[in-house]
Every structure is written in structure tokens, then in C-alpha cells.
Amino acid sequence: MTEPSVRLARLAWRDPVAAMAPFANEPFAVLMLSAGGPPARWSYLARSPSRVRTIGGVDTDQDFSALRTLLGPHRTRQDEGPPFQGGVIGLIAYEFADRLEPLGLERDRDWPDMVLARFDSLLAFDHREQVVWSVRGGTADPAAWLEARLAPGGETSAPPAATFVAEACAMAYEDAVTATTARILAGEIFQANIARGWRGWLAEGAQPYGAFHRLVEQSPAPFCAYWRLPGAALVSHSPERFVAIAADGATVLAAPIKGTRPRSADPCQDLRNAAELLASAKDRAENLMIVDLMRNDLSRVCQPGSVRAPGLCGLESFPTVHHLVSHVTGRLEAGLDVADLLGAVFPPGSITGAPKVQAMKVIAAQEPPRGPWCGALFWAGCDGAFESSVLIRTAAFVEDGRGWRFRAPAGAGIVADSDPVSERLETEVKISGLARALMGRV
């Protein structure tokens, strides 16, 4: 049976954050918001998936075949309109890696290893052209979603969190950095990304979408996202692309981030911070280690000789941080698809370390389960195109009898010459956007 082609229609512009608000508490409603910095152009709102697959617990999946099954037969996209014209939106928790390479990782009891949802209809927001595209592949009419209005009293501008506290003291994190550098100096690994966690509760009556709304207003990023799941919600303002497949279905792109400096309200100091980052031999070395790891991962599924690193250690600036970003490209081997690509590269090298498997064992000895944090969020089109983010700068919310609780880690890449205090301060810079959105202060 041939898949029906999608029907596209241009609609008047509407702010995607406002368009999502009426559906913010609807299970599986999702907004993928491109809100600042490259490649900020397309945002997507999707509701009412036709099929859902959740993998966790006793499920025996050892790869990404479930994604291939849910995508179904290949369908050619229409030349006009958005890059994503229906397919699967998915969340891969960090611990899914244990299914690909048995490591004995402890699971996050609040989150499955993977959630996949098939969306045949959606709204695509073109920020550059200021137009909304209705992508209709099923019976639902996405154009009608724009007519919905938020019920009175739905969202407020008040800080939504009642508490926001570190899980461990500063010294405990510095000790973890010291222990990791000792393992690096012993030759066990070259680099590992070690995280600190923060936890809290939303105030009575507050909702995760209120936190998301404040976050994108104060700290926009290219890969902001809100996904409401049954009894849970994901809020992210990630700056980092994981991997993508272009519209040709073969060209692969990755953009690992390593190297961080804080932004400053003083323009002169801000320029000095950026210049210091660009001149830092330590940060450049850290970035290049992950570029080499990413090249190796992509080489497992790309045509021989096609993997390149056309851009190394470029500066990209966001509301709270400057980052060094590199770009790695390749071309998929004929007959391979997104499921093969994810099997070769997950989890992201920038948030594990090098060598990847041993770095993950070091991380597991220092941290509790990560859950969604440092996993990936993606859309996968029925035409073979794909886009994904690394779930850094991300809070995972869980609803229980007391209300909404959340966890939001931040990490730093540890190398042989890492200074424990500097690495701890880096985690505090990285968490500052979420802290400000949730509490109104850092």
C-alpha cells in the first residue's frame, strides 16, 4: 500500500510558543523550537501521534530497528515547504547506550530508554519567511490548531520553581574532577564529561510549560524543545546539534561543542572572554579529541574517504556562554539509513569522552543515571532526512502526588590539565539559564 503524499498549505504567521500553549498539557504534544543562533529557521508543533512506541524495562531492543519500523516505507517529500513533512519524533535517553554496548548502566526509573511517536500531520514555522506551513498527512487539520486560545489564567510570568538546589556540594564535584584526571593521567582515558545535578520542585499550580516559556524568552537556543509525555515533560534549550541527514538522504552533518566561556554584560569583557576561548590550547585540544571521535563514529556508516571536518573550533555565542563548535560531515553508505547512523554514533561523543566506551564507565562511577539529559531529541522524516540535538541545558520533569519535580544536570569536559575549581564554575555557567528561568535568579 502506497503512503499518501502530504498536503501542504501556507498559513499566516503565528508565534510558535503561543500556538503551543493551549496544548501544553496534552500528552505527546511537542514543540521543537529553533529560537536563536544557527541553524535557527524551522520550528515544529505536533500533536496526537498516530502511533507510539516506548522502549524500556523488559523490552529487548538492542538497536534502532523500532525507529525504522515506525517510519515505514520511504516517501518523497514535496520540494516546497519545510524539511520535516511528517515522520517520527523521538527521545533517546542516555542509558539507551547500554543496549548498544552492554555496560551495566543503572537506569533512570522515571524515564524509558526511548520514546518514539509517529506524527503524520504537523505545523512548521518558517522564522525567516514569517509563514506557517500546515503539513497534513492524516485526517487531522493542523490549520485548526492555530485557532485555539489559551484558557484564562493558563501561564504567568512569575518564576515557576519553589526550589532549585545542587544535589551535592561544590567540593564533591571538584573531588570527582580530581579522580577523573587521575584516571586520565594513568592512561585509562583521554577525556570524560563529568556532570553535576540540580533538583527542585515547581511551585503549586505551576507547569513545565511556564518554565519553557520563560527559558526561551531569556535564553533562546537553536534546539529549544518542549515535549509533554504522560506524567512527564522535557524542557530544553540546547545549543548543540548531534547529527543530521540532509534532504538528499545521504549527507551527514555533526556539530560537536567543546570549549566554554561565560558571557559578560560588559561588552569589552565579553570580547576578552571570547578571545580567551579562541586562544585556549586546552579547549581546542578538548574539542579536537571529540572531532576525532566523531569522525571515527561516522566512518562506521559513511563511504570511505567521505568523512571530513570542514570547520574546526569556530566561535558561536549564546545568551549565557561562548562555545567552540566544530563541523564534521560524511556521506552514508548506500543502503544505510538513520537507524544505522544512530547505532554508530549514539551516545554523543561530546558528552561522553574518549575513548567513548571507557569514558562512559568512568562517568557511571561518578554519576547517578542521566535519563534524558545527554541523550538526544530528534525528528526523522519519511523521506530520509533527519535532525537531532544533544540534550544538554535540559530539565526533565516528573509529575507525582506532590506536584512537578525536576532534575537538571550540567557537565564539563575533563582532560589531563583540568582545574577542578574552573570546571565546577563552568557547570554553574551552563546551568545559569535554567536557574534564572526557574527561580528568577542564578
Side-chain angles (χ1 to χ4, degrees), residues 71-160:
L71 279 170
H74 186 276
R75 182 178 69 197
T76 303
R77 67 182 296 275
Q78 296 196 33
D79 291 336
E80 63 174 348
F84 182 41
Q85 297 183 6
V88 174
I89 291 176
L91 185 161
I92 316 169
Y94 175 83
E95 282 75 27
F96 190 90
D98 196 61
R99 295 174 179 268
L100 306 173
E101 180 80 32
L103 298 166
L105 298 181
E106 183 185 352
R107 298 298 205 274
D108 186 327
R109 290 178 294 177
D110 291 324
W111 290 85
D113 288 345
M114 185 160 66
V115 180
L116 303 171
R118 170 68 183 250
F119 293 96
D120 298 307
S121 299
L122 54 94
L123 291 172
F125 300 78
D126 184 345
H127 295 267
R128 188 177 72 186
E129 301 298 329
Q130 294 284 281
V131 64
V132 181
W133 288 87
S134 166
V135 179
R136 188 172 182 179
T139 57
D141 181 7
W145 304 349
L146 293 176
E147 304 304 316
R149 293 291 183 267
L150 183 64
E155 298 294 346
T156 70
S157 60

Side-chain angles (χ1 to χ4, degrees), residues 175-189 366 414-416:
D175 288 345
V177 173
T178 300
T180 303
T181 56
R183 298 177 79 162
I184 292 170
L185 292 170
E188 182 179 347
I189 55 172
Q366 301 281 8
I414 311 306
V415 292

Side-chain angles (χ1 to χ4, degrees), residues 331-346:
R331 191 160 186 84
L332 277 179
E333 285 271 22
L336 300 187
D337 61 10
V338 63
D340 300 299
L341 174 63
L342 284 172
V345 302
F346 189 84

